Amino acid sequence: MSSIIPLRRHAPGPREESRDLRKTGLDPDFWYPLARSKQLKPGKSLATTFAGEPIVVVRPKDGEPFALENRCAHRQVPLSLGVVRGERLQCHYHCWTYDRSGACVNVPYLDEGKELPNGVRSYPVREAYGFLFVYTGDQAAAGFKRFPDVSTFAKSEYKTRTLDRTIGCHYSFMHENLMDMNHQFLHRSLMGSIRATLLDVRSGDGWVEADYTFSRAAGKQPLGERFMINRKSGTALPEGAIDKMTIRTGYPYQTLQFWTAGSTEPALDLWNCYYPTDREQRKNRTYGLMMIRKPGIPGLVHVIWPFIVAFTNGIFGQDTEIVEAEQAAFDAQGEDWNQEIFPAIQALRALLIEKGVPLDLEPRSTSSVIRFS
Ligand code: FES
Ligand SMILES: [Fe+2]
């Protein structure tokens, strides 16, 4: 007996997923780096956003930074246009003044004895690794207690490059692009012909990781890559030693480590965070810390650094172009038509869907709208 298979406009993926990955929101219940520390000078404020939520981060001349909704409770203009006075932020328009808790503490023309209006929301802030991390989610959630651990950042054996860009695609494309090492073909003009071999895929609650090794099929190793993975020469390798790369999405962050054959410390240790800037989540801010183990000769890292920067910029440029092309295809198709056949990416997609949240495109509600009676 034959069954009737309905016609589809596109072939189904290996399994039907419960939700469209590209319409999945990033879970806000984590710490996200919403700005770089160096962008925010003492006595100034800085506008940023998380998934369309406008946020102003303030650094008083004395005292810790704080973050508020970036809207005046009076007429909704950005508070980031205002003036920082001590630990307070004065709105640029009529000088309603807010403290670090978001409470409105002064309205210069309020009649004596009248109650001060409602203020705005405040968010916890922590500064680390050259970033201002802001927590916009539910403080009772587990993510609030866990702060990302980037321990290599503090090690003097490594030099760090901070990555900072806005890319026109859903954050999930970023995770997939980095974890799917089968896309070396994309980088053929910069890297020659490289073949990636998947060694293992592992997953658990909230994480997926994949191990690879690489071989060169043709072409010469580019200088930037050679400097970046800075191999010890002259030492005999143990038998069977191979280069190994591990890429891990530990939701919502992603890391990549690369060990040259026989080494115990990674030559490259990368920490990335991608979060949506807009409500539709079709753009992401990518912040990364690329930590490269310094060569043994003191000072040599400064000589090779420009090559590493040029090489990695070239690679990121090619990746940016292709993930933005993926988003454009999704926008035109209106749903995810991908056929994913690679086990590491199948596991990653399932993780991003499971840990994500529904996209909320309803008008935002506020409890702090003031109604004068
Ligand atoms: S709009 Fe901010 S004080 Fe009036
Ligand atoms: Fe790439």
Side-chain angles (χ1 to χ4, degrees), residues 224-342:
E225 182 195 319
R226 188 161 101 212
F227 291 146
M228 191 160 82
I229 62 177
N230 157 43
R231 212 172 272 284
K232 275 208 185 83
S233 55
T235 39
L237 290 176
E239 217 184 285
I242 51 167
D243 291 351
K244 196 178 101 174
M245 179 181 280
T246 298
I247 300 153
R248 175 185 173 98
T249 292
Y251 193 91
Y253 315 109
Q254 192 170 44
T255 57
L256 178 153
Q257 291 175 306
F258 184 85
W259 294 266
T260 54
S263 66
T264 51
E265 299 290 326
L268 169 65
D269 194 349
L270 176 70
W271 179 89
N272 277 351
C273 180
Y274 325 106
Y275 64 87
T277 54
D278 58 325
R279 290 192 84 182
E280 293 76 21
Q281 309 211 2
R282 296 198 321 214
K283 268 189 231 141
N284 79 85
R285 189 87 192 152
T286 290
Y287 280 126
L289 298 166
M290 188 176 79
M291 294 155 287
I292 292 175
R293 198 168 167 82
K294 294 175 188 166
I297 303 163
L300 182 58
V301 70
H302 304 299
V303 179
I304 64 176
W305 201 248
F307 292 92
I308 293 174
V309 169
F311 173 70
T312 49
N313 281 352
I315 299 285
F316 294 144
Q318 292 178 333
D319 285 330
T320 300
E321 224 170 88
I322 207 70
V323 291
E324 290 185 342
E326 288 193 280
Q327 180 69 49
F330 172 83
D331 290 343
Q333 292 165 348
E335 59 182 344
D336 187 354
W337 288 14
N338 288 9
Q339 299 185 73
E340 191 47 65
I341 50 102
F342 189 51

Side-chain angles (χ1 to χ4, degrees), residues 177 183-184 186-187 315 319:
N177 171 265
H183 81 269
Q184 298 313 315
L186 174 73
H187 301 303
I315 299 285
D319 285 330

Side-chain angles (χ1 to χ4, degrees), residues 72-77 79 91-96 98 109:
C72 180
H74 184 205
R75 298 180 69 89
Q76 318 309 318
V77 298
L79 284 176
C91 175
H92 183 50
Y93 202 173
H94 312 88
C95 197
W96 286 27
Y98 301 85
Y109 53 91

Side-chain angles (χ1 to χ4, degrees), residues 117-316:
N118 289 339
V120 293
R121 189 179 164 192
S122 68
Y123 308 90
V125 178
R126 282 179 67 171
E127 197 160 18
Y129 319 125
F131 295 121
L132 288 148
F133 286 81
V134 180
Y135 188 92
T136 66
D138 170 9
Q139 291 181 39
F144 183 60
K145 286 171 220 104
R146 287 196 301 262
F147 194 74
D149 173 18
V150 192
S151 47
T152 307
F153 182 82
K155 291 186 182 162
S156 60
E157 303 93 310
Y158 288 82
K159 182 171 167 69
T160 301
R161 176 170 189 222
T162 300
L163 312 172
D164 167 357
R165 54 196 69 212
T166 299
I167 300 177
C169 73
H170 189 259
Y171 61 88
S172 58
F173 290 113
M174 305 300 294
H175 282 268
E176 293 175 284
N177 171 265
L178 190 67
M179 194 173 282
D180 191 349
M181 282 289 147
N182 297 307
H183 81 269
Q184 298 313 315
F185 188 70
L186 174 73
H187 301 303
R188 60 199 176 277
S189 62
L190 294 173
M191 297 183 75
S193 177
I194 299 275
R195 188 181 158 74
T197 306
L198 181 71
L199 301 173
D200 194 19
V201 183
R202 297 172 295 277
S203 61
D205 182 28
W207 62 274
V208 171
E209 59 185 25
D211 295 338
Y212 294 91
T213 193
F214 298 88
S215 55
R216 176 166 292 282
K220 267 183 47 191
Q221 187 185 34
L223 268 186
E225 182 195 319
R226 188 161 101 212
F227 291 146
M228 191 160 82
I229 62 177
N230 157 43
R231 212 172 272 284
K232 275 208 185 83
S233 55
T235 39
L237 290 176
E239 217 184 285
I242 51 167
D243 291 351
K244 196 178 101 174
M245 179 181 280
T246 298
I247 300 153
R248 175 185 173 98
T249 292
Y251 193 91
Y253 315 109
Q254 192 170 44
T255 57
L256 178 153
Q257 291 175 306
F258 184 85
W259 294 266
T260 54
S263 66
T264 51
E265 299 290 326
L268 169 65
D269 194 349
L270 176 70
W271 179 89
N272 277 351
C273 180
Y274 325 106
Y275 64 87
T277 54
D278 58 325
R279 290 192 84 182
E280 293 76 21
Q281 309 211 2
R282 296 198 321 214
K283 268 189 231 141
N284 79 85
R285 189 87 192 152
T286 290
Y287 280 126
L289 298 166
M290 188 176 79
M291 294 155 287
I292 292 175
R293 198 168 167 82
K294 294 175 188 166
I297 303 163
L300 182 58
V301 70
H302 304 299
V303 179
I304 64 176
W305 201 248
F307 292 92
I308 293 174
V309 169
F311 173 70
T312 49
N313 281 352
I315 299 285
F316 294 144

